[in-house]
Amino acid sequence: METPAPKITIHMVASLDGFIAKPDGNVSWMQPKDQYEKGETLTVEKIEAFLQSVDCYVLGSYTYEHALELGWPYGEKPVIVLTSRQLSAKHKTVEFYSGDLNQLVRQKLQPKYRNVWMVGGAHCTKAFLQAQLADEIVITIMPILLGEGTLFFDFIGQEQPLHLKDVTAYDNGMVELTYQVLKAEATF
């Protein structure tokens, strides 16, 4: 019996106008300073519970480089970096991958992991959606309009129906939207 495919969640932090980075790659705006008194407080316990639920992270090479610059947020969790460039692993849990995404899921992710988070960037998001490998999209919207930069959804080129599963507003002004990616039904 084959191991079931892992749940793959695309997660991204974006400005309200849909950008994930400024034109120069800067992401310093991701620290919200707003106050929303009806919002939930993001506690250390909630963050730790979430981090425990993730089995593996998948990210693009530029997101990997940003994570190294900003302070490695992935701890000792396995991280697969999608890249065609020669990069060096700064952490023992990092593995580099270049190739077919379907093979990545079947051969590397499926045998080991149940809950995989693809956390950036725009090219990886586009590729996972085009290959119909994503099960869920979680977008954390920051209370800012950037006006220009790198788009989260970079002209995917196909329509993708979604189902809203959850909405959470936080006391710092962030809003998190969770969508199930609806798979095309087979017609016989």
Side-chain angles (χ1 to χ4, degrees), residues 30-158:
M30 288 187 181
Q31 301 299 320
K33 296 169 179 62
D34 196 17
Q35 295 288 320
Y36 178 58
E37 59 190 49
K38 294 184 209 175
E40 288 187 25
T41 300
L42 197 54
T43 65
V44 171
E45 293 80 20
K46 287 180 186 177
I47 294 169
E48 286 178 1
F50 161 73
L51 293 174
Q52 288 299 318
S53 74
V54 176
D55 297 325
C56 177
Y57 294 97
V58 175
L59 46 138
S61 61
Y62 294 112
T63 302
Y64 170 68
E65 290 172 327
H66 274 295
L68 291 173
E69 290 170 15
L70 300 173
W72 190 248
Y74 308 112
E76 295 301 312
K77 293 281 181 164
V79 173
I80 297 175
V81 179
L82 305 177
T83 186
S84 57
R85 301 184 294 146
Q86 291 295 319
L87 299 171
S88 60
K90 303 291 184 187
H91 296 270
K92 65 181 179 185
T93 58
V94 172
E95 179 180 345
F96 298 103
Y97 182 84
S98 177
D100 182 81
L101 291 180
N102 285 295
Q103 286 183 348
L104 168 71
V105 171
R106 281 193 312 275
Q107 295 173 2
K108 291 197 173 288
L109 300 178
Q110 187 169 336
K112 297 181 193 175
Y113 309 114
R114 303 284 40 91
N115 190 16
V116 176
W117 278 58
M118 201 292 297
V119 294
H123 294 287
C124 293
T125 297
K126 181 178 183 175
F128 268 81
L129 287 171
Q130 287 176 332
Q132 298 183 347
L133 294 172
D135 299 297
E136 195 173 70
I137 300 172
V138 177
I139 305 172
T140 304
I141 304 294
M142 291 294 170
I144 189 169
L145 296 169
L146 292 180
E148 63 179 343
T150 303
L151 287 170
F152 176 26
F153 294 109
D154 181 24
F155 303 101
I156 296 165
Q158 65 191 39

Side-chain angles (χ1 to χ4, degrees), residues 7 135-136 162-167 177-181:
K7 180 175 114 183
D135 299 297
E136 195 173 70
L162 305 171
H163 168 70
L164 182 64
K165 289 175 57 178
D166 199 9
V167 177
L177 305 168
T178 302
Y179 292 96
Q180 176 185 355
V181 176

